[in-house]
Amino acid sequence: VVFHRDWAERLEVVRERATGAVTRAGDLLAADRVVLAAGSLSGRLAGVPEDVLPPVRPVKGQVLRLTVPAAYAPFLSRTVRAVVRGGHLYLVPRENGELVVGATSEELGWDTTVTAGGVYELLRDAHELVPGITELPLTETRAGLRPGSPDNAPLLGPTRLDGLLLATGHHRNGVLLTPVTGDVMAELLTGGELPEAVRPFTPKRFGPVPGALLEQTA
Ligand SMILES: Cc1cc2nc3c(=O)[nH]c(=O)nc-3n(C[C@H](O)[C@H](O)[C@H](O)COP(=O)(O)OP(=O)(O)OC[C@H]3O[C@@H](n4cnc5c(N)ncnc54)[C@H](O)[C@@H]3O)c2cc1C
């Protein structure tokens, strides 16, 4: 495999078939098949015909990192997952002494602002589970965008455009689902059928992207 670490400016389509990608520098990377796996930006690649654009929207998530001082260790020895006030919360202790608290889920388009309200809610709910948490130094706050599909399940496999496949839409579970996504896409690209387990996630389960969603992702 040759890796080209570059930005895809647009999909190259010739006679209703995806034939590669054009990089920011204007170079064409020709390919028999193209896998579009651009996360929350998957619905924004130029050149993809409108009726084939993946129906992916950005779902904002805020996450915190705290540090457990040596004097407090061991603070938590395993991951804690909970539902607090109807929201999902997790506390993940890392080997390097960090404690990750996540994550909010917000439908705010492309906004990646870390807000006082987001930090407050995470700390409030985490405090309810583990009161001692408010004694820890807060070392990082961050917001990212998850790729969400209309049913929040992944989009895996061929699209209605010949040569174009999707591997996106993993929403809250993209890290967890990385190995299985890699496996099924490799199986598909090396000539096999789409494995049974991923058939429910075919991009073809959705019709063309509704105009409203296109506007939201514009
Ligand atoms: C706060 C937060 C907490 C989360 N916690 C978890 C968790 O605990 N467990 C879990 O499983 N998942 C979690 N997720 C979700 C997970 O991060 C996503 O599902 C996952 O990152 C999606 O992977 P992806 O590769 O499809 O997209 P991304 O990770 O978004 O990667 C897409 C990449 O494509 C690049 N790209 C986009 N357009 C182009 C282009 N035109 N050319 C070249 N490159 C391009 C982007 O720069 C980016 O690097 C969390 C997400 C957030 C925001």
Side-chain angles (χ1 to χ4, degrees):
V1 171
V2 179
F3 285 100
H4 297 269
R5 297 186 187 278
D6 211 328
W7 192 258
E9 205 62 47
R10 68 176 168 83
L11 181 74
E12 179 81 350
V13 179
V14 177
R15 284 190 290 278
E16 296 184 23
R17 183 180 174 88
T19 55
V22 177
T23 68
R24 195 155 22 198
D27 299 324
L28 171 66
L29 301 176
D32 281 344
R33 275 161 302 166
V34 178
V35 179
L36 177 50
S40 56
L41 293 169
S42 296
R44 304 186 86 183
L45 184 63
V48 180
E50 213 166 272
D51 58 341
V52 180
L53 271 178
V56 170
R57 69 186 195 289
V59 182
K60 178 179 173 182
Q62 299 188 52
V63 70
L64 314 177
R65 272 172 219 277
L66 300 101
T67 305
V68 179
Y72 288 29
F75 188 80
L76 275 186
S77 53
R78 60 176 59 197
T79 295
V80 176
R81 289 184 180 275
V83 177
V84 184
R85 294 187 178 83
H88 292 267
L89 186 80
Y90 53 78
L91 289 89
V92 183
R94 299 253 191 248
E95 275 179 9
N96 65 0
E98 279 181 351
L99 183 65
V100 180
V101 179
T104 66
S105 185
E106 303 164 72
E107 300 281 351
L108 288 174
W110 299 99
D111 175 60
T112 51
T113 316
V114 174
T115 62
V119 174
Y120 164 71
E121 281 172 28
L122 289 170
L123 287 176
R124 177 196 63 193
D125 294 350
H127 176 257
E128 206 152 297
L129 287 177
V130 186
I133 202 163
T134 46
E135 303 299 321
L136 304 179
L138 176 60
T139 38
E140 188 188 322
T141 57
R142 196 178 68 79
L145 298 172
R146 311 174 179 97
S149 73
D151 59 7
N152 291 331
L155 297 158
L156 301 171
T159 64
R160 290 190 175 83
L161 179 68
D162 279 349
L164 180 68
L165 297 89
L166 300 185
T168 185
H170 293 75
H171 197 238
R172 297 194 79 130
N173 298 305
V175 177
L176 190 72
L177 296 176
T178 293
V180 69
T181 299
D183 286 351
V184 297
M185 295 309 292
E187 198 171 329
L188 191 58
L189 291 168
T190 50
E193 290 282 301
L194 191 63
E196 189 65 37
V198 293
R199 293 214 174 127
F201 305 111
T202 169
K204 294 177 184 168
R205 70 187 184 277
F206 299 115
V209 184
L213 186 61
L214 273 179
E215 276 166 31
Q216 190 192 333
T217 55

